[in-house]
Amino acid sequence: MFEQNREAAIAGASVSTFIAESGEYKGTFENVAIYTANSGAEALHFDFVSEGGERASFQIYYKNKKGETIDMGQNKIIALNATMKVKAATTQEERSVCIFGNEVSRTCLVDMEGQRVGVVFQRELSTGQDGKTYDNVRYVTSFNCDTGRTADEIYGDKPAKRKDKVVAGLKEVIDKTTAPGGFTESEMRPPEAQISGGSGYGGFDDDVPF
Protein backbone atom coordinates (compact mmCIF):
# COMPACT_ATOMS: atom_id res chain seq x y z
CA MET A 1 0.00 0.00 0.00
CA PHE A 2 1.00 3.61 -0.63
CA GLU A 3 4.01 2.74 -2.77
CA GLN A 4 6.20 5.65 -3.78
CA ASN A 5 5.20 7.54 -6.92
CA ARG A 6 7.06 10.67 -7.99
CA GLU A 7 4.06 12.55 -9.44
CA ALA A 8 1.79 11.70 -6.51
CA ALA A 9 4.41 12.68 -3.93
CA ILE A 10 5.03 16.06 -5.55
CA ALA A 11 1.30 16.72 -5.90
CA GLY A 12 0.68 15.77 -2.28
CA ALA A 13 3.41 18.08 -1.02
CA SER A 14 2.28 21.08 -3.05
CA VAL A 15 -1.44 21.09 -2.25
CA SER A 16 -2.60 23.01 0.83
CA THR A 17 -5.55 21.77 2.84
CA PHE A 18 -6.98 25.28 3.05
CA ILE A 19 -7.35 28.08 0.53
CA ALA A 20 -4.64 30.54 1.50
CA GLU A 21 -4.35 32.89 -1.49
CA SER A 22 -6.52 35.59 -3.05
CA GLY A 23 -8.02 34.55 -6.35
CA GLU A 24 -10.79 32.67 -8.14
CA TYR A 25 -11.69 29.07 -7.38
CA LYS A 26 -14.13 26.52 -8.78
CA GLY A 27 -15.73 23.86 -6.63
CA THR A 28 -18.85 23.02 -4.61
CA PHE A 29 -20.36 23.75 -1.21
CA GLU A 30 -20.12 20.68 1.00
CA ASN A 31 -22.33 22.27 3.65
CA VAL A 32 -24.65 25.29 3.61
CA ALA A 33 -26.00 25.63 7.14
CA ILE A 34 -28.19 28.15 8.94
CA TYR A 35 -26.13 29.70 11.73
CA THR A 36 -27.40 31.84 14.61
CA ALA A 37 -24.86 34.02 16.40
CA ASN A 38 -24.94 34.66 20.14
CA SER A 39 -26.45 38.07 19.39
CA GLY A 40 -29.37 36.44 17.57
CA ALA A 41 -28.23 37.51 14.10
CA GLU A 42 -28.64 34.84 11.41
CA ALA A 43 -26.24 33.82 8.66
CA LEU A 44 -25.60 31.07 6.19
CA HIS A 45 -22.40 29.16 6.94
CA PHE A 46 -20.67 27.85 3.80
CA ASP A 47 -18.08 25.06 3.64
CA PHE A 48 -16.46 25.36 0.20
CA VAL A 49 -14.28 22.66 -1.38
CA SER A 50 -12.33 23.57 -4.51
CA GLU A 51 -11.81 21.20 -7.42
CA GLY A 52 -8.23 20.85 -6.16
CA GLY A 53 -9.41 19.75 -2.72
CA GLU A 54 -8.66 23.01 -0.89
CA ARG A 55 -11.19 24.24 1.65
CA ALA A 56 -12.55 27.51 2.96
CA SER A 57 -15.46 28.45 5.22
CA PHE A 58 -17.31 31.75 5.40
CA GLN A 59 -20.58 33.25 6.58
CA ILE A 60 -23.05 35.66 4.96
CA TYR A 61 -25.37 37.37 7.45
CA TYR A 62 -28.92 37.96 6.19
CA LYS A 63 -30.76 38.92 9.43
CA ASN A 64 -29.62 41.24 12.21
CA LYS A 65 -30.13 40.58 15.92
CA LYS A 66 -33.60 42.15 15.75
CA GLY A 67 -34.67 39.68 13.06
CA GLU A 68 -34.65 42.36 10.35
CA THR A 69 -33.46 41.44 6.87
CA ILE A 70 -29.95 42.59 5.92
CA ASP A 71 -30.49 43.48 2.27
CA MET A 72 -26.81 43.28 1.26
CA GLY A 73 -26.44 39.80 2.73
CA GLN A 74 -29.71 38.50 1.30
CA ASN A 75 -28.79 39.88 -2.13
CA LYS A 76 -25.37 38.22 -2.00
CA ILE A 77 -27.01 34.85 -1.27
CA ILE A 78 -29.53 35.27 -4.09
CA ALA A 79 -26.72 36.27 -6.46
CA LEU A 80 -24.73 33.23 -5.41
CA ASN A 81 -27.73 31.00 -6.14
CA ALA A 82 -28.09 32.58 -9.58
CA THR A 83 -24.54 31.57 -10.49
CA MET A 84 -25.38 27.98 -9.43
CA LYS A 85 -28.75 28.05 -11.28
CA VAL A 86 -30.61 27.43 -8.03
CA LYS A 87 -34.03 29.09 -8.12
CA ALA A 88 -34.73 28.70 -4.40
CA ALA A 89 -33.39 26.85 -1.37
CA THR A 90 -36.43 24.83 -0.28
CA THR A 91 -35.05 21.44 0.77
CA GLN A 92 -33.78 21.37 4.35
CA GLU A 93 -31.96 18.69 6.32
CA GLU A 94 -30.83 18.54 9.95
CA ARG A 95 -27.28 17.22 10.40
CA SER A 96 -24.02 17.74 12.23
CA VAL A 97 -21.58 20.31 10.80
CA CYS A 98 -18.40 21.88 12.10
CA ILE A 99 -18.70 25.65 12.67
CA PHE A 100 -15.86 27.63 14.26
CA GLY A 101 -14.27 24.37 15.37
CA ASN A 102 -17.40 23.07 17.09
CA GLU A 103 -19.46 20.10 15.90
CA VAL A 104 -23.09 21.22 16.07
CA SER A 105 -26.47 20.16 14.67
CA ARG A 106 -27.77 22.67 12.13
CA THR A 107 -30.39 23.01 9.42
CA CYS A 108 -28.67 22.67 6.04
CA LEU A 109 -29.98 23.93 2.70
CA VAL A 110 -29.56 20.92 0.45
CA ASP A 111 -30.42 22.71 -2.83
CA MET A 112 -27.31 24.87 -2.48
CA GLU A 113 -24.96 21.96 -1.78
CA GLY A 114 -23.06 19.95 -4.38
CA GLN A 115 -23.66 22.47 -7.17
CA ARG A 116 -20.61 23.62 -9.14
CA VAL A 117 -19.84 27.25 -8.41
CA GLY A 118 -17.02 29.72 -8.92
CA VAL A 119 -16.03 31.96 -6.03
CA VAL A 120 -13.55 34.80 -5.54
CA PHE A 121 -11.67 35.08 -2.26
CA GLN A 122 -9.58 37.88 -0.77
CA ARG A 123 -6.87 36.90 1.73
CA GLU A 124 -6.95 38.95 4.95
CA LEU A 125 -5.03 39.19 8.21
CA SER A 126 -7.21 40.16 11.16
CA THR A 127 -7.08 40.31 14.94
CA GLY A 128 -9.58 38.14 16.83
CA GLN A 129 -11.28 38.95 20.11
CA ASP A 130 -8.62 36.83 21.79
CA GLY A 131 -5.93 39.17 20.48
CA LYS A 132 -4.46 36.58 18.13
CA THR A 133 -3.76 37.22 14.46
CA TYR A 134 -5.80 35.15 12.02
CA ASP A 135 -4.98 34.49 8.36
CA ASN A 136 -8.23 33.86 6.48
CA VAL A 137 -9.90 34.39 3.12
CA ARG A 138 -13.02 36.53 2.71
CA TYR A 139 -15.75 35.70 0.18
CA VAL A 140 -16.02 38.47 -2.42
CA THR A 141 -18.33 37.30 -5.22
CA SER A 142 -19.41 34.26 -7.23
CA PHE A 143 -19.59 33.31 -10.90
CA ASN A 144 -20.95 30.49 -13.06
CA CYS A 145 -18.32 27.80 -13.60
CA ASP A 146 -19.19 27.19 -17.24
CA THR A 147 -19.69 30.74 -18.51
CA GLY A 148 -17.71 32.85 -16.02
CA ARG A 149 -20.69 35.19 -15.71
CA THR A 150 -21.75 36.84 -12.46
CA ALA A 151 -25.41 37.16 -11.43
CA ASP A 152 -25.93 40.59 -13.00
CA GLU A 153 -24.46 39.34 -16.29
CA ILE A 154 -26.71 36.26 -16.19
CA TYR A 155 -29.84 38.36 -15.67
CA GLY A 156 -28.73 40.99 -18.18
CA ASP A 157 -27.58 38.37 -20.72
CA LYS A 158 -24.20 40.11 -20.89
CA PRO A 159 -20.76 38.70 -21.70
CA ALA A 160 -18.52 37.64 -18.82
CA LYS A 161 -16.34 40.61 -17.84
CA ARG A 162 -17.06 41.46 -14.21
CA LYS A 163 -15.31 38.50 -12.58
CA ASP A 164 -12.00 39.22 -14.29
CA LYS A 165 -12.18 42.86 -13.17
CA VAL A 166 -12.89 41.79 -9.60
CA VAL A 167 -9.96 39.35 -9.62
CA ALA A 168 -7.67 42.02 -11.07
CA GLY A 169 -8.61 44.29 -8.16
CA LEU A 170 -7.68 41.79 -5.46
CA LYS A 171 -4.68 42.38 -3.22
CA GLU A 172 -2.20 39.66 -2.30
CA VAL A 173 -3.24 40.22 1.30
CA ILE A 174 -5.15 42.90 3.23
CA ASP A 175 -3.66 43.47 6.67
CA LYS A 176 -6.40 44.53 9.09
CA THR A 177 -4.15 44.12 12.11
CA THR A 178 -2.67 47.60 11.68
CA ALA A 179 -3.88 50.56 13.71
CA PRO A 180 -7.13 52.31 12.63
CA GLY A 181 -6.51 54.82 9.90
CA GLY A 182 -4.02 52.61 8.12
CA PHE A 183 -6.40 51.99 5.22
CA THR A 184 -7.86 54.16 2.54
CA GLU A 185 -11.62 53.94 1.98
CA SER A 186 -11.11 51.97 -1.24
CA GLU A 187 -8.87 49.43 0.51
CA MET A 188 -11.54 48.75 3.11
CA ARG A 189 -14.24 48.09 0.51
CA PRO A 190 -14.44 44.73 -1.27
CA PRO A 191 -13.13 44.76 -4.87
CA GLU A 192 -16.61 44.34 -6.37
CA ALA A 193 -17.76 47.51 -4.60
CA GLN A 194 -14.73 49.42 -5.90
CA ILE A 195 -15.62 48.45 -9.45
CA SER A 196 -19.37 48.87 -9.51
CA GLY A 197 -20.26 50.97 -6.50
CA GLY A 198 -21.97 47.99 -4.86
CA SER A 199 -24.23 45.16 -5.87
CA GLY A 200 -27.86 45.54 -6.80
CA TYR A 201 -29.17 42.04 -7.21
CA GLY A 202 -32.90 41.66 -6.74
CA GLY A 203 -34.92 38.61 -5.81
CA PHE A 204 -36.02 35.91 -8.21
CA ASP A 205 -39.08 36.61 -10.32
CA ASP A 206 -40.91 35.15 -13.31
CA ASP A 207 -38.04 36.12 -15.61
CA VAL A 208 -35.45 33.84 -14.00
CA PRO A 209 -33.06 33.07 -16.91
CA PHE A 210 -32.48 29.41 -16.01
Side-chain angles (χ1 to χ4, degrees):
M1 295 174 65
F2 309 113
E3 294 181 6
Q4 276 300 312
N5 177 288
R6 182 177 185 276
E7 289 74 18
I10 293 174
S14 62
V15 175
S16 171
T17 304
F18 300 100
I19 292 175
E21 297 182 357
S22 301
E24 61 179 276
Y25 297 83
K26 294 180 179 181
T28 59
F29 292 122
E30 185 175 62
N31 297 303
V32 179
I34 297 175
Y35 168 75
T36 303
N38 292 333
S39 65
E42 291 187 14
L44 286 189
H45 171 90
F46 296 86
D47 288 325
F48 176 78
V49 183
S50 76
E51 292 178 344
E54 298 169 296
R55 295 174 174 271
S57 297
F58 62 93
Q59 296 76 38
I60 299 178
Y61 281 84
Y62 60 90
K63 282 187 180 180
N64 62 24
K65 61 183 180 181
K66 296 180 180 179
E68 300 166 335
T69 298
I70 301 172
D71 290 337
M72 180 178 292
Q74 178 171 271
N75 290 346
K76 279 184 175 290
I77 294 169
I78 292 173
L80 200 159
N81 274 343
T83 57
M84 294 191 294
K85 297 185 178 180
V86 174
K87 292 186 177 181
T90 57
T91 306
Q92 300 184 357
E93 177 182 283
E94 290 287 331
R95 66 170 176 269
S96 180
V97 295
C98 185
I99 299 179
F100 300 128
N102 299 313
E103 200 76 18
V104 291
S105 179
R106 288 288 184 270
T107 299
C108 296
L109 305 183
V110 178
D111 297 298
M112 299 177 67
E113 299 172 341
Q115 308 288 345
R116 291 186 72 234
V117 63
V119 295
V120 177
F121 288 116
Q122 168 64 59
R123 182 186 172 204
E124 293 183 342
L125 298 178
S126 60
T127 302
Q129 294 181 348
D130 56 6
K132 296 180 181 179
T133 297
Y134 291 89
D135 189 341
N136 295 309
V137 290
R138 171 175 56 82
Y139 168 80
V140 178
T141 193
S142 64
F143 59 93
N144 181 271
C145 278
D146 297 322
T147 66
R149 296 197 296 181
T150 55
D152 54 338
E153 292 167 339
I154 292 171
Y155 268 92
D157 195 22
K158 299 177 181 178
K161 295 181 179 180
R162 179 182 174 87
K163 183 260 294 179
D164 290 342
K165 292 180 180 179
V166 171
V167 173
L170 295 175
K171 297 181 181 297
E172 182 177 347
V173 60
I174 293 179
D175 188 351
K176 290 186 174 181
T177 63
T178 57
F183 292 98
T184 65
E185 182 183 355
S186 63
E187 287 175 326
M188 292 297 290
R189 295 201 309 270
E192 61 178 319
Q194 295 178 37
I195 293 168
S196 67
S199 61
Y201 305 121
F204 288 116
D205 54 31
D206 292 337
D207 297 321
V208 176
F210 46 83

